Amino acid sequence: MLEITGIKKNFGDLQVLKGVDLKVEKGDVVAILGPSGSGKTTFLRCINFLETTDQGTMVFDGESFDMSRVSRKDMARIRRKTAFVFQNFNLFLNKTALENVTEGLIVARKIPRAQAEETGRRALDKVGLSDRWNYYPHQLSGGQQQRVAIARALATDPEIIFFDEPTSALDPELIGEVLEVMRELAQEGMTMLVVTHEMNFARNVSTRVIFMEHGNVVEEGSSREFFENPKTERTREFLRMVSG
């Protein structure tokens, strides 16, 4: 459903992405791993047009796009089929959980308020927040705020969800509740790309792993192959480091 070829991205003289490829099938859960500064988040943001891309092509749902020249109209059309969950939640502080979920549906998608609220309530129920519809972000824990952000993504009925380190801003005791929601989505067949440092999630939930460093893909493969039989010495070194 999604194929990326040759993405390159520079920030001034710094080449952050050096020609990254990715292929995602429907139902895949792809964990993108790598040390800080490897280009993981930039790659994810380029795919969803949150960053401009210097070079690369995208095939999405059978249509091909030059990512360095894609029109605003095509960007908007692709984004309507995707959703993005940020590491710092990106919630409106002056709106309730339900209003945060429905705002985009009402304003951007012109869905009638009553229908949007019904969709929003279902989405919040799905992430375990049926008793928090009318709570404001400051009344919610970090884990609950991130679950609101996931509900907001689900409410748009996306074909694929991008997660940018969704647990990195959370206290350790709150990480599990967010990962459990993501685990349930994976079991239901949601296609997901997840930039993460959570090795247990990558090993036990993802179907495929991509390991990046210095703007390149060092290794990719099934989760089982990656963790049990890494092909490169750099991958083996990385796994030793993250396993303590």
Side-chain angles (χ1 to χ4, degrees):
M1 65 183 298
L2 175 67
E3 185 170 4
I4 304 294
T5 306
I7 281 191
K8 295 184 179 180
K9 172 65 179 177
N10 294 343
F11 290 110
D13 294 332
L14 179 64
Q15 191 173 20
V16 179
L17 299 176
K18 301 176 181 178
V20 179
D21 301 336
L22 172 69
K23 188 172 184 179
V24 181
E25 303 290 351
K26 186 174 178 60
D28 276 351
V29 179
V30 181
I32 304 176
L33 309 180
S36 297
S38 59
K40 307 183 300 295
T41 290
T42 299
F43 178 56
L44 203 66
R45 290 175 63 86
C46 283
I47 294 175
N48 204 41
F49 306 106
L50 296 172
E51 296 282 357
T52 58
T53 304
D54 297 320
Q55 184 176 320
T57 59
M58 169 188 285
V59 178
F60 186 60
D61 276 355
E63 288 189 83
S64 184
F65 304 91
D66 180 340
M67 296 185 68
S68 65
R69 298 181 180 180
V70 64
S71 68
R72 290 186 179 274
K73 181 179 179 181
D74 283 337
M75 283 185 196
R77 195 156 53 86
I78 293 168
R79 281 178 176 160
R80 287 180 71 88
K81 299 180 180 181
T82 68
F84 201 103
V85 176
F86 299 86
Q87 56 182 300
N88 291 316
F89 323 139
N90 279 25
L91 300 180
F92 295 110
L93 300 182
N94 63 337
K95 295 185 182 296
T96 66
L98 182 59
E99 288 169 340
N100 266 282
V101 174
T102 60
E103 181 75 6
L105 302 178
I106 295 168
V107 175
R109 303 202 176 203
K110 310 300 182 187
I111 294 174
R113 182 174 298 275
Q115 181 182 342
E117 289 181 349
E118 181 181 350
T119 299
R121 285 190 288 267
R122 284 201 307 269
L124 287 167
D125 291 352
K126 188 173 182 63
V127 300
L129 294 175
S130 58
D131 59 343
R132 294 290 189 272
W133 294 347
N134 296 317
Y135 282 56
Y136 289 88
H138 74 272
Q139 298 173 304
L140 301 171
S141 70
Q144 289 170 335
Q145 290 183 60
Q146 190 61 293
R147 284 189 279 154
V148 172
I150 295 172
R152 179 177 57 192
L154 291 173
T156 65
D157 193 25
E159 295 183 20
I160 184 169
I161 303 179
F162 303 119
F163 292 85
D164 181 18
E165 300 193 19
T167 60
S168 66
L170 301 179
D171 293 332
E173 65 270 19
L174 301 177
I175 290 173
E177 64 189 60
V178 173
L179 292 180
E180 182 57 31
V181 169
M182 295 172 64
R183 182 191 303 271
E184 290 173 2
L185 293 177
Q187 290 172 345
E188 293 170 6
M190 174 61 71
T191 307
M192 300 189 284
L193 260 65
V194 186
V195 171
T196 185
H197 292 290
E198 298 293 334
M199 292 301 113
N200 285 335
F201 177 88
R203 178 191 287 269
N204 298 318
V205 181
S206 70
T207 56
R208 290 177 50 227
V209 172
I210 292 177
F211 173 47
M212 292 181 63
E213 187 171 47
H214 303 310
N216 291 305
V217 174
V218 176
E219 184 169 339
E220 65 176 303
S222 73
S223 299
R224 181 173 181 175
E225 287 177 343
F226 182 85
F227 284 99
E228 295 183 4
N229 188 30
K231 297 182 180 67
T232 71
E233 178 55 38
R234 180 64 187 104
T235 303
R236 289 189 283 273
E237 179 186 354
F238 173 77
L239 291 174
R240 286 193 297 269
M241 178 181 69
V242 296
S243 65

